[in-house]
């Protein structure tokens, strides 16, 4: 099984509402959306390997400080991503996948290991999750609730 690679690793607070997330920007994205703000993620050979051992070390380092692990991409290597998701779940963490695919295109065995899912290709004219006209959806897979409203400034629950 080939390892995923990542070009960025950060602790983030806004990408997954109400979670402190360790986020990995996975390289090798095959979509190539026009206007993508993460063009550096397109080349699969770029970045550092995201091995099980590396992820385990990062989870240990941030134990008690993070509540979620966010993978920005990686579904194109679903079996590899699955093993990383399972490790996160074994550690009691929430999991999230940002994908440009639609929900029905994500393998069910990945959905089973995810807490949250952001779907939809980037379409600049429609905007992102903070736009009322976006085609993207942020879903809590435990309840199937669309949480887009949490990204809109001034929106009420």
């Amino acid at each position: 099984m080939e390892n995923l690679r990542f070009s960025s690793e950060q602790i983030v607070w806004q990408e997954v509402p109400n979670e402190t997330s360790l986020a990995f920007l996975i390289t090798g994205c095959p979509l190539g959306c026009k206007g993508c703000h993460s063009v550096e993620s397109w080349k699969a050979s770029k970045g550092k390997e995201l091995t099980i051992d590396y992820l385990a070390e990062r989870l240990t380092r941030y134990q008690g400080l993070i509540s979620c692990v966010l993978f920005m991409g990686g579904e194109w290597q679903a079996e590899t991503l699955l093993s990383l998701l399972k490790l996160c779940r074994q550690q009691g963490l929430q999991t999230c996948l940002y994908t440009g695919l639609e929900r029905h295109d994500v393998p069910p065995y990945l959905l089973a290991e995810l807490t949250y899912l952001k779907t939809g290709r980037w379409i600049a004219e429609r905007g992102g999750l903070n736009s009322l006209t976006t085609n993207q959806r942020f879903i809590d897979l435990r309840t199937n609730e669309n949480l887009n409203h949490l990204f809109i400034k001034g929106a009420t629950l």
Side-chain angles (χ1 to χ4, degrees):
M1 185 168 17
E2 189 176 337
N3 289 319
L4 288 170
R5 301 180 81 81
F6 65 97
S7 63
S8 171
E9 172 187 347
Q10 300 177 41
I11 300 295
V12 297
W13 293 273
Q14 295 180 341
E15 284 74 4
V16 183
N18 304 314
E19 305 284 355
T20 300
S21 302
L22 173 59
F24 292 97
L25 179 58
I26 306 299
T27 60
C29 181
L31 297 179
C33 299
K34 182 181 175 190
C36 175
H37 60 76
S38 301
V39 175
E40 72 277 9
S41 71
W42 291 4
K43 292 194 180 194
S45 61
K46 297 283 187 190
K48 181 176 181 162
E49 283 194 9
L50 182 53
T51 65
I52 287 283
D53 289 343
Y54 181 84
L55 180 58
E57 183 274 321
R58 303 314 275 170
L59 297 183
T60 298
R61 178 178 211 187
Y62 294 115
Q63 188 173 10
L65 301 173
I66 61 170
S67 57
C68 184
V69 179
L70 166 59
F71 296 91
M72 296 176 158
E75 67 280 358
W76 49 86
Q77 283 181 240
E79 291 296 328
T80 303
L81 181 59
L82 179 63
S83 63
L84 298 171
L85 290 169
K86 285 184 174 188
L87 174 62
C88 297
R89 297 298 289 256
Q90 289 166 0
Q91 298 293 320
L93 295 165
Q94 309 297 343
T95 55
C96 182
L97 173 65
Y98 268 42
T99 178
L101 300 177
E102 296 303 323
R103 182 177 180 168
H104 62 266
D105 296 320
V106 177
Y109 58 88
L110 285 182
L111 293 174
E113 297 298 329
L114 290 166
T115 313
Y116 304 101
L117 179 68
K118 194 270 316 162
T119 63
R121 293 179 77 109
W122 170 251
I123 301 173
E125 304 79 44
R126 307 266 323 258
L129 291 171
N130 61 348
S131 169
L132 293 173
T133 61
T134 190
N135 61 298
Q136 299 179 332
R137 298 289 170 261
F138 190 93
I139 305 157
D140 183 330
L141 293 173
R142 298 167 295 187
T143 62
N144 284 319
E145 182 183 3
N146 180 329
L147 300 179
N148 282 33
H149 63 278
L150 297 176
F151 295 88
I152 309 289
K153 284 189 170 142
T156 57
L157 297 179

